[in-house]
Structures are given as C-alpha cells and as structure tokens.
Amino acid sequence: QVQLVESGGGLVQPGGSLRLSCAGPESIFSIYTMGWYRQAPGKQRELVGAITIGGNTNYADSVKGRFTISRDNAKNMVYLQMNSLQPEDTAVYYCNAQSPPWSIITTSYWGQGTQVTVSS
C-alpha cells in the first residue's frame, strides 16, 4: 500500500502564502509524475500543477504565476508553494502520484488531503 502524506495546510489571510509538502516512498518518487489537485465544496477535483521526474511542470491557468510546484527526489518530497492566496483557493489539496506514460499498467496514488482556507 503506497502512502502519500500531505502537510502544511491551514488558515491564511488573502494575499498570504502557504507551502504544502507531500512525502512518499522512494519507489514512487524515483519515477512517478507528482501532482497537486484540489477540491472545493460542491466542485470537482481539479489539477493544480504537476511535475515530472525530469522537472517539467504544468499548472492550471488559475494558479500560474502564484503557485510553484517542486520536488526533491533525494528526500522523496514534493512541494507546492502558494503565494498571493485568494478565497477562491480554499479547498482540500491532494497530493497525487501518477505512473509514467511508458508504464504497462497505469497506477495513481492519492494522499489523504490537507485543508487550505483563505479567509480574513
């Protein structure tokens, strides 16, 4: 059973910053694409950003220029630096690991989620 463990969520005022962290096993971080998703109440889960093993990143348009995803493969960690947070960023944020495109079997793992609330 693969475990991804998120941390770093909380309550922050509009315009503030938070950094989310996700820890997992070496077997995952050595080859999987890591991503952050979020789900707000009453909405579908959406991709926030993702980073490949080679460091290529992509972001949702709504967070470009404000959020930065990074990974430290030596520490088996992935991060989401969130700046200029707005109330619409309020959601449960999930860490995701997605098997590489060349995998024979597609696998995806999820963390338990961490709440981010942006409010004054």
Side-chain angles (χ1 to χ4, degrees):
Q1 183 74 11
V2 173
Q3 266 198 315
L4 299 176
V5 181
E6 303 103 332
S7 61
L11 173 65
V12 64
Q13 292 187 342
S17 298
L18 280 176
R19 189 175 85 151
L20 305 183
S21 300
C22 174
E26 180 181 1
S27 59
I28 293 297
F29 277 84
S30 62
I31 58 173
Y32 277 51
T33 291
M34 302 302 298
W36 288 96
Y37 288 71
R38 67 186 180 186
Q39 187 166 20
K43 294 188 177 181
Q44 288 189 330
R45 192 173 296 189
E46 63 175 0
L47 174 68
V48 175
I51 183 167
T52 67
I53 185 66
N56 294 317
T57 58
N58 66 284
Y59 298 94
D61 288 342
S62 59
V63 306
K64 282 180 181 177
R66 300 188 299 125
F67 291 11
T68 303
I69 188 170
S70 60
R71 64 192 292 166
D72 186 334
N73 295 329
K75 295 182 178 179
N76 303 326
M77 298 287 294
V78 63
Y79 307 98
L80 183 68
Q81 177 66 44
M82 304 184 292
N83 299 326
S84 302
L85 283 160
Q86 300 301 319
E88 52 266 34
D89 296 315
T90 295
V92 178
Y93 283 71
Y94 297 90
C95 180
N96 171 263
Q98 179 70 39
S99 55
W102 43 260
S103 298
I104 295 174
I105 299 176
T106 298
T107 53
S108 184
Y109 302 102
W110 295 91
Q112 81 286 354
T114 185
Q115 177 71 46
V116 172
T117 302
V118 185
S119 175
S120 55

